[in-house]
PDB file of all heavy atoms in Angstrom:
ATOM      1  N   GLU A  30     -13.083  12.500  17.479  1.00 95.00           N
ATOM      2  CA  GLU A  30     -12.953  13.713  18.293  1.00 95.00           C
ATOM      3  C   GLU A  30     -12.386  13.413  19.675  1.00 95.00           C
ATOM      4  O   GLU A  30     -11.544  14.150  20.181  1.00 95.00           O
ATOM      5  CB  GLU A  30     -14.310  14.419  18.414  1.00 95.00           C
ATOM      6  CG  GLU A  30     -14.841  14.979  17.100  1.00 95.00           C
ATOM      7  CD  GLU A  30     -13.908  16.011  16.466  1.00 95.00           C
ATOM      8  OE1 GLU A  30     -13.115  16.639  17.203  1.00 95.00           O
ATOM      9  OE2 GLU A  30     -13.952  16.159  15.231  1.00 95.00           O
ATOM     10  N   ASN A  34      -8.787  14.727  21.162  1.00 97.00           N
ATOM     11  CA  ASN A  34      -8.668  15.457  22.428  1.00 97.00           C
ATOM     12  C   ASN A  34      -7.639  14.794  23.338  1.00 97.00           C
ATOM     13  O   ASN A  34      -6.857  15.477  23.992  1.00 97.00           O
ATOM     14  CB  ASN A  34     -10.021  15.513  23.144  1.00 97.00           C
ATOM     15  CG  ASN A  34     -10.915  16.603  22.557  1.00 97.00           C
ATOM     16  OD1 ASN A  34     -10.460  17.459  21.819  1.00 97.00           O
ATOM     17  ND2 ASN A  34     -12.203  16.542  22.897  1.00 97.00           N
ATOM     18  N   LYS A  80      -7.389  25.826  23.184  1.00 89.00           N
ATOM     19  CA  LYS A  80      -6.358  25.658  22.159  1.00 89.00           C
ATOM     20  C   LYS A  80      -6.222  26.840  21.207  1.00 89.00           C
ATOM     21  O   LYS A  80      -5.297  26.876  20.404  1.00 89.00           O
ATOM     22  CB  LYS A  80      -6.645  24.379  21.364  1.00 89.00           C
ATOM     23  CG  LYS A  80      -6.695  23.154  22.271  1.00 89.00           C
ATOM     24  CD  LYS A  80      -7.203  21.920  21.577  1.00 89.00           C
ATOM     25  CE  LYS A  80      -7.518  20.842  22.608  1.00 89.00           C
ATOM     26  NZ  LYS A  80      -8.140  19.663  22.004  1.00 89.00           N
ATOM     27  N   ALA A  99     -16.406  20.082  19.672  1.00 93.00           N
ATOM     28  CA  ALA A  99     -16.632  18.637  19.622  1.00 93.00           C
ATOM     29  C   ALA A  99     -17.413  18.132  20.832  1.00 93.00           C
ATOM     30  O   ALA A  99     -18.457  17.486  20.681  1.00 93.00           O
ATOM     31  CB  ALA A  99     -15.306  17.904  19.494  1.00 93.00           C
TER      32      ALA A  99
HETATM   33 MG1   MG B 702     -11.421  18.516  20.287  1.00 56.21          MG
END
Side-chain angles (χ1 to χ4, degrees):
E30 294 300 335
N34 280 346
K80 302 170 193 174

